[in-house]
Structure formats: structure tokens, C-alpha cells
Amino acid sequence: LDNNVFFLADEDTKDCVVIDPSFEPDKQLEAISSQGWKLSQVWLTHGHYDHTAGAKQISESFNPPLPIAMHPDCFAWASAEPNVVKFGYEIQAVARVDIPLEHGLLLAVSPGSELKPVEVRDVSGHNPGSVLFYVPELKVAIVGDAIFRESIGRTDFPGSNHELLLKNIREQVFTLPDDTILLPGHGPSTTVAHEKKHNPFLSA
């Protein structure tokens, strides 16, 4: 499925979070270790299995398990989906939500830090409770499946809402600075300016 998995790390403390751990969580843990980072949390943009498949294993690879951050509506949606096997891979359900995400919440990469450089924005529509993680200092937003380069997230899934997705992209993505880099759950990066001009779903 060519999922993008992202890591956000603090260069000073070496603490990091993993965002949307997909398949092959062991490789993700190896990548974190190879960088000398200390994994502190698991953050999820939404509840579709290809973005959550590694969350439980990664969290429970530590004692105590690492906190999982997710919007309660995403968790409720995902919890209603039975455990299944996809592409020969058993999908482990998200075990719990330790950090309930909501619009406007500020997050820290380092546990207990008063420095909270990451803003949560609600971009529901592709999946109930979908969020993006915006880091103004880096001029980056990790947007899950809300928007892609010259495309948007599918809205033919249960719980999807096409008009709501378009509304949230306009209000929560297009209000970011034009030079903000958008890192989607699949495919290449893009920018707010590029999508305003070239995204056929939104540029009209």
C-alpha cells in the first residue's frame, strides 16, 4: 500500500514519536534505534488499518507500553472493525487511547515537556476524527489521508463524508502558510500553495 510512516524527533533530547506505524513495525523500531532516538509515543492520524497496523506491537514492545494518541471518534470507528487478515498480515486492533486527540490540542515530543510544538487540527471526512499534526517551526504538516499531491482522501468508505472533507481541507489545511510542506499518508510531499493552485478537487 506504500504507506508513509513518519518520525518526529527532538534533536536535543533524542525523544521521538512515530506517526501512523503501518506494516513491519520491527523495521520501524530498528530505524529509530539506528538514529539513537528514544521512542516516547505513538500518534495516529486516523483509524484505517494501514495506518494503525503496527501501533499495538510498537506500543507493547516497551514496559510500560508507550502511550497511543488518537482521536476518540477514530478509535470508536476502528474498534467496530473486526480483526482481519490483509495481504497475509494479521491486523492488530489499536489497544487503547492514552492521549485523546482533539482540535487545537498542543503536543510535546518529549514526555512531560512544557514545550509543545505540535498542533492538532481536525480534518475529518476521510475517516471520522481524522487529524493532522502541524509543526510551525518546521513548516510541516503531517496530514494522513486528508489530502495528497493533487488529490484528496477517498470518501467512499463507511463513515466518510466528502463535503466535510473538502470543508476541513479549506479551513484547516489551506489556512496554513503557503510554504507549509504537506506530508501525506501515501505518495509524495506537496505544499499548501501547490494544492491551492493545482488540486482539482479544491482549486476551482
Side-chain angles (χ1 to χ4, degrees):
L1 295 175
D2 291 329
N3 279 71
N4 295 326
V5 178
F6 296 102
F7 305 99
L8 185 60
D10 185 313
E11 292 181 340
D12 296 325
T13 66
K14 300 301 182 183
D15 290 314
C16 84
V17 299
V18 59
I19 301 174
D20 286 1
S22 185
F23 304 105
E24 301 180 313
D26 289 335
K27 289 187 177 180
Q28 297 164 44
L29 290 170
E30 290 171 7
I32 291 167
S33 177
S34 70
Q35 294 293 326
W37 296 334
K38 298 175 293 183
L39 188 60
S40 63
Q41 297 173 11
V42 178
W43 296 355
L44 304 174
T45 62
H46 65 289
H48 287 154
Y49 71 87
D50 55 321
H51 295 262
T52 67
K56 184 175 188 291
Q57 181 177 329
I58 286 180
S59 172
E60 295 180 358
S61 295
F62 296 80
N63 186 17
L66 297 181
I68 298 174
M70 188 181 199
H71 194 290
D73 290 350
C74 283
F75 181 70
W77 184 92
S79 297
E81 297 292 305
N83 285 7
V84 293
V85 174
K86 296 282 188 179
F87 312 108
Y89 188 97
E90 182 178 357
I91 306 301
Q92 294 185 316
V94 179
R96 67 199 175 278
V97 173
D98 304 294
I99 304 170
L101 300 178
E102 61 181 17
H103 182 77
L105 182 68
L106 299 178
L107 296 173
V109 173
S110 297
S113 174
E114 294 183 0
L115 180 64
K116 298 181 178 181
V118 183
E119 176 189 347
V120 176
R121 292 192 173 201
D122 189 322
V123 287
S124 299
H126 171 68
N127 188 227
S130 294
V131 301
L132 64 77
F133 301 107
Y134 173 48
V135 192
E137 186 176 349
L138 300 179
K139 297 183 178 181
V140 161
I142 299 166
V143 297
D145 285 359
I147 186 170
F148 304 108
R149 182 176 175 85
E150 300 181 15
S151 187
I152 61 172
R154 288 174 55 181
T155 54
D156 58 338
F157 294 124
S160 297
N161 184 318
H162 186 76
E163 292 306 318
L164 178 61
L165 177 59
L166 296 181
K167 175 178 182 289
N168 281 330
I169 292 172
R170 290 190 175 100
E171 294 181 358
Q172 305 304 331
V173 179
F174 283 3
T175 55
L176 298 173
D178 280 353
D179 60 350
T180 302
I181 297 169
L182 305 178
L183 301 176
H186 307 269
S189 64
T190 184
T191 66
V192 170
H194 183 89
E195 296 314 306
K196 284 181 177 179
K197 184 175 182 180
H198 298 289
N199 195 306
F201 294 91
L202 294 143
S203 57

